[in-house]
């Protein structure tokens, strides 16, 4: 398989989903009996009168809809459901969004159908996450398909080796006037990650490294619902202090908003939090994982910078484990704790109690 061509098809599929166009997801062998023609329920555009007998939704949504045959599941796993009558696109949109559950508490009845090909269905759900839309589709064979994509296409798209350094420049920042910024771009991914190097890059010394996932609300708008903005500022100050004492630091700024679920879905999770759900439950209710960041991208960035060992600033032991699993030698976990405020106190407690963060 030509990986650039395969990755390009995935990029085209993501663009189609963001525009509300239907895509076909088929197995690698092209068997039409196991393929799906899918219209994104959230953003889909369709000709008038288009209905679908089935929807592809997440297991978390299926559980919310009281499908009794779901006992233990991964929240983002695909489930194929059928209603007592065909779904219109408007009905599919209404069913896809858990924020509307309180307005329409009585739904169904529905039943779960067997999946013709679980890998094909899982590929469709991952495409929705990467596109930043709700993981819910109308199975609509009558809709015009914009692009056909396979599981192998998605694997080619996610190949971290495709990431390369594009440019670098001096960037004085408030914490350190001698910083350098380095921009990375993948072949078919519009997200451009950056590294900020503070101090003199010395490969005989192990750098202090912070992986910071993009957070528009916290980094730019000063949101008090999370601790992202203060963590970013404190990390840069720590690296500047490191540089002042002969060391150096690297901030990897990853364009993975909302831990990989995207800005709009993160704000949907905020809406559910206002209804009483914690961070993890809100993500799961959306049918999205609570951790969806692409750590191989971070590993590839470090590799391109010539960095083999790091001292990682994090309160999350799972992040250390994830980086080690993709080849990063984490020689030390450096705690990165900041005070809470009344708006993010529950958020930090949830990170401690449900995702294993060490808060001390």
């Amino acid at each position: 398989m030509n990986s650039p061509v395969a990755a390009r098809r995935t990029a085209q599929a993501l663009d189609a989903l963001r525009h509300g166009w239907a895509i076909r997801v088929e197995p690698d062998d092209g068997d039409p009996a196991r393929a799906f023609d899918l219209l994104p329920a959230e953003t889909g555009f369709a000709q008038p009168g288009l209905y679908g007998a089935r929807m592809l939704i997440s297991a978390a949504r299926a559980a919310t809809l009281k499908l009794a045959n779901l006992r233990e599941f991964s929240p983002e796993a695909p489930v194929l459901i059928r209603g007592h009558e065909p779904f219109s696109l408007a009905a599919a949109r209404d069913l896809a969004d858990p924020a509307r559950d309180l307005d329409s508490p009585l739904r169904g009845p529905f039943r779960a159908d067997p999946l013709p090909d679980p890998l094909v269905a899982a590929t469709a759900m991952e495409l929705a996450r990467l596109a930043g839309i709700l993981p819910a589709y109308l199975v609509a064979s009558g809709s015009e398909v914009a692009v056909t994509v396979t599981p192998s296409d998605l694997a080619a798209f996610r190949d971290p080796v495709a990431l390369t350094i594009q440019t670098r420049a001096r960037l004085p920042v408030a914490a350190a006037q001698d910083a350098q910024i380095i921009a990375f771009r993948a072949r078919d991914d519009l997200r451009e990650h950056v590294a900020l190097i503070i101090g003199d890059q010395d490969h005989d010394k192990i750098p202090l490294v912070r992986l910071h996932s993009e957070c528009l609300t916290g980094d730019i708008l000063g949101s008090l619902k999370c601790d992202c903005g203060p963590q970013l500022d404190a990390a840069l100050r720590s690296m500047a202090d490191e540089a002042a004492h002969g060391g150096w630091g690297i901030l990897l700024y990853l364009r993975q908003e909302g831990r990989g679920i995207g800005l709009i879905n993160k704000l949907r999770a905020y809406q559910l939090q206002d209804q009483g759900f914690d961070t993890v439950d809100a993500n799961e209710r959306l049918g999205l994982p609570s951790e969806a960041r692409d750590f191989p991208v971070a590993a590839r960035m470090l590799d391109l910078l010539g960095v083999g060992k790091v001292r990682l600033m994090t309160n999350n032991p799972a992040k250390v484990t994830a980086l080690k699993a993709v080849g990063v030698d984490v020689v030390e976990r450096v705690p990165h704790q900041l005070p809470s405020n009344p708006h993010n106190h529950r958020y930090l407690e949830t990170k401690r109690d449900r995702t294993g963060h060490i808060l001390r």
Side-chain angles (χ1 to χ4, degrees):
M1 177 179 291
N2 188 329
S3 292
V5 173
R8 190 175 307 121
R9 280 195 293 267
T10 302
Q12 291 168 343
L14 296 178
D15 186 61
L17 291 175
R18 294 186 188 106
H19 281 85
W21 302 332
I23 65 169
R24 175 172 295 143
V25 186
E26 66 180 21
D28 290 325
D29 62 13
D31 181 2
R34 294 170 15 241
F36 281 114
D37 288 355
L38 301 169
L39 189 66
E42 172 197 343
T43 60
F45 296 99
Q47 54 270 45
L50 179 70
Y51 286 80
R54 299 175 297 171
M55 284 185 66
L56 188 66
I57 62 173
S58 70
R61 284 302 288 147
T64 302
L65 297 172
K66 310 300 184 186
L67 292 176
N69 58 332
L70 295 173
R71 300 300 183 190
E72 297 180 4
F73 57 86
S74 172
E76 65 271 20
V79 175
L80 188 63
I81 68 168
R82 184 184 300 271
H84 66 285
E85 59 185 27
F87 299 100
S88 66
L89 182 57
R93 286 173 179 162
D94 184 64
L95 194 66
D97 190 350
R100 303 183 184 185
D101 287 348
L102 295 179
D103 297 328
S104 304
L106 298 177
R107 308 199 187 194
F110 306 108
R111 75 164 189 262
D113 284 354
L115 287 169
D117 189 315
L119 180 58
V120 167
T123 297
M125 303 306 274
E126 179 67 0
L127 289 170
R129 183 188 70 79
L130 291 172
I133 64 173
L134 287 171
Y137 296 95
L138 182 67
V139 181
S141 57
S143 188
E144 182 178 353
V145 171
V147 63
T148 298
V149 67
T150 68
S152 292
D153 293 339
L154 177 59
F157 177 80
R158 301 189 67 174
D159 181 5
V161 177
L163 192 76
T164 57
I165 292 177
Q166 296 298 306
T167 191
R168 62 181 73 205
R170 187 179 70 88
L171 183 70
V173 296
Q177 296 185 23
D178 61 347
Q180 182 186 37
I181 190 167
I182 301 173
F184 302 78
R185 180 186 289 152
R187 183 174 48 218
D188 291 293
D189 190 347
L190 294 178
R191 297 174 300 175
E192 295 162 333
H193 309 286
V194 299
L196 190 71
I197 295 180
I198 295 179
D200 295 328
Q201 190 167 350
D202 184 347
H203 292 289
D204 292 329
K205 297 178 180 178
I206 301 174
L208 184 64
V209 173
R210 171 72 180 168
L211 272 61
H212 188 89
S213 297
E214 178 182 35
C215 179
L216 173 71
T217 50
D219 299 342
I220 306 301
L221 302 178
S223 168
L224 298 177
K225 285 180 67 69
C226 64
D227 57 349
C228 299
Q231 280 198 339
L232 175 60
D233 294 339
L236 293 176
R237 290 195 301 270
S238 294
M239 290 175 189
D241 183 67
E242 190 84 5
H245 292 84
W248 61 299
I250 308 172
L251 177 84
L252 298 184
Y253 196 85
L254 306 173
R255 302 294 300 281
Q256 300 179 13
E257 182 81 46
R259 294 191 173 193
I261 67 172
L263 175 63
I264 291 176
N265 280 332
K266 183 181 85 168
L267 299 182
R268 287 192 174 105
Y270 281 2
Q271 187 178 18
L272 292 174
Q273 290 170 34
D274 289 340
Q275 296 178 12
F277 298 97
D278 68 24
T279 306
V280 174
D281 285 338
N283 278 37
E284 291 186 352
R285 200 168 181 86
L286 288 166
L288 296 164
S290 58
E291 176 58 86
R293 283 174 287 189
D294 190 349
F295 290 109
V297 166
R300 173 63 173 167
M301 293 169 72
L302 291 170
D303 182 57
L304 290 170
L305 294 173
V307 175
K309 297 181 179 181
V310 303
R311 295 162 50 231
L312 187 68
M313 296 185 71
T314 183
N315 298 322
N316 185 2
K319 185 184 287 187
V320 175
T321 302
L323 285 176
K324 287 182 175 180
V326 292
V328 178
D329 187 358
V330 182
V331 300
E332 180 187 1
R333 184 188 70 82
V334 179
H336 191 43
Q337 174 69 28
L338 295 172
S340 64
N341 67 61
H343 300 279
N344 69 14
H345 180 71
R346 187 187 181 200
Y347 164 76
L348 295 176
E349 286 188 333
T350 299
K351 289 208 295 185
R352 179 196 64 198
D353 298 338
R354 303 199 61 183
T355 61
H357 284 63
I358 299 172
L359 304 181
R360 56 179 174 81

